[in-house]
Amino acid sequence: MDAPPGVFQGSLDRFNGVTIDSSKEYEENEHFPDKLEKSLAYWKEQKRRAIWFTVKTEHSSWVPHLTKVGFEFHHAKQGYVVLYRWLPNDEYENIPVYSHTMLGVGGLVVNENNEVLVVCERFSLIPNSWKLPGGYAEPQENIVDAAIREVREETGVECEFNTVISIRHAHGGIFGCSDIYCVVALSPKSLDLTRCEREIAKLQWMPIDEYLQHPNVHETNRHFLRCYMDYKKRGIRFTCEIGKHQVLKKEYCLYYMKPIDEDNGS
């Protein structure tokens, strides 16, 4: 964006807003309040909408000046904080909320001996309960990849994708976030177990019949297994395919139901 001297350059977004990154525009000896005041006047004249400041930790001296003139905190991550101010007086504040939902995954691993891979966590909400291995997806990580990784990290078992089983959605989780828990059925490539000593107290291959009746298995987890068995009986799977957005050219995961025989019986 070609701004006049004494005004933050920033970058113009597709919503007619401006983003300023302190890593690009911080100057040690400049008088930030004066430059900010001049910039705000220019942006109002240009009828800009949302003004965003990404402020690195080392440039946090900017923050008090921004909040003093009406900027609000939007979100923070390690190394920076983002603040914004909505300029138009004739439009309602149309600011997207930051990520508000955590994404968890569970791996339902069933071997050819009709046994389920189960773990007992060291720090469990329900002591001595048996559950599916799993955890939270990492940034930029697909659901299936997250489930495979979590199973490997907690149990040492390498797996491949079979089908999505179920999705649980709840609210009021950690950091006040909502929570989505995706259960993915995986096929093991080996049966050898290597326990993650930091997180897992014990693990085992448990016979399906025992799992479905075990007093220390939560009913919801038994439900996941029943769904998996029902999918197999019906000859269907909730599969995952990789596609690419025709405009953005970004890959995405497409999940949908299909007959198992269309996968050549896999």
Side-chain angles (χ1 to χ4, degrees):
M1 189 174 71
D2 189 17
V7 170
F8 287 107
Q9 292 296 314
S11 58
L12 190 64
D13 63 36
R14 64 191 180 99
F15 301 106
N16 197 30
V18 180
T19 298
I20 296 87
D21 188 337
S22 72
S23 66
K24 299 177 180 178
E25 301 202 44
Y26 182 85
E27 295 181 16
E28 187 69 37
N29 298 318
E30 72 178 358
H31 193 256
F32 180 80
D34 289 346
K35 188 172 184 178
L36 178 59
E37 181 181 4
K38 187 174 181 180
S39 298
L40 285 170
Y42 173 73
W43 291 326
K44 289 177 181 178
E45 179 185 308
Q46 295 294 309
K47 300 188 181 302
R48 302 303 182 203
R49 301 170 81 218
I51 308 300
W52 301 86
F53 271 79
T54 298
V55 184
K56 302 292 184 180
T57 302
E58 59 268 31
H59 307 141
S60 58
S61 59
W62 279 9
V63 173
H65 300 295
L66 289 166
T67 58
K68 188 175 181 179
V69 296
F71 279 80
E72 297 284 348
F73 292 104
H74 188 265
H75 66 274
K77 297 184 73 173
Q78 187 173 6
Y80 70 89
V81 63
V82 175
L83 300 90
Y84 77 94
R85 179 174 165 183
W86 182 258
L87 294 186
N89 294 319
D90 56 349
E91 293 184 65
Y92 73 91
E93 187 178 290
N94 190 25
I95 298 295
V97 297
Y98 191 58
S99 179
H100 51 76
T101 301
M102 304 290 288
L103 177 60
V105 294
L108 178 65
V109 186
V110 179
N111 64 29
E112 293 182 352
N113 300 321
N114 288 323
E115 296 172 320
V116 185
L117 182 60
V118 292
V119 299
C120 183
E121 295 178 331
R122 289 188 61 201
F123 307 102
S124 176
L125 289 174
I126 307 175
N128 298 314
S129 62
W130 290 105
K131 64 181 290 292
L132 305 177
Y136 284 107
E138 297 178 350
Q140 308 298 316
E141 185 176 38
N142 294 333
I143 292 170
V144 170
D145 295 334
I148 292 173
R149 174 185 55 77
E150 284 288 345
V151 170
R152 180 179 62 252
E153 290 177 353
E154 293 187 357
T155 72
V157 177
E158 292 287 350
C159 297
E160 59 186 7
F161 174 67
N162 187 312
T163 179
V164 175
I165 296 296
S166 182
I167 296 175
R168 185 195 68 202
H169 191 197
H171 307 288
I174 59 175
F175 311 122
C177 291
S178 298
D179 181 271
I180 291 179
Y181 177 62
C182 297
V183 180
V184 179
L186 304 171
S187 300
K189 296 181 180 179
S190 67
L191 301 182
D192 295 335
L193 302 179
T194 303
R195 178 172 61 91
C196 173
E197 296 184 3
R198 184 184 65 179
E199 298 182 20
I200 305 301
K202 51 186 177 179
L203 72 163
Q204 70 173 77
W205 290 103
M206 182 179 291
I208 284 179
D209 290 341
E210 180 182 349
Y211 179 88
L212 290 175
Q213 300 178 39
H214 201 294
N216 291 344
V217 174
H218 192 278
E219 175 58 29
T220 303
N221 282 324
R222 289 197 286 262
H223 171 74
F224 296 145
L225 179 57
R226 294 192 193 102
C227 287
Y228 168 70
M229 296 169 66
D230 183 59
Y231 289 178
K232 289 187 66 176
K233 181 179 178 180
R234 294 171 182 266
I236 56 176
R237 67 187 299 188
F238 204 76
T239 192
C240 173
E241 292 185 1
I242 304 298
K244 180 173 289 188
H245 194 283
Q246 61 182 7
V247 176
L248 300 177
K249 305 303 181 185
K250 293 181 179 180
E251 284 192 351
Y252 57 81
C253 293
L254 182 64
Y255 298 91
Y256 65 96
M257 194 69 73
K258 67 185 295 187
I260 290 178
D261 58 14
E262 289 188 8
D263 292 328
N264 297 317
S266 62

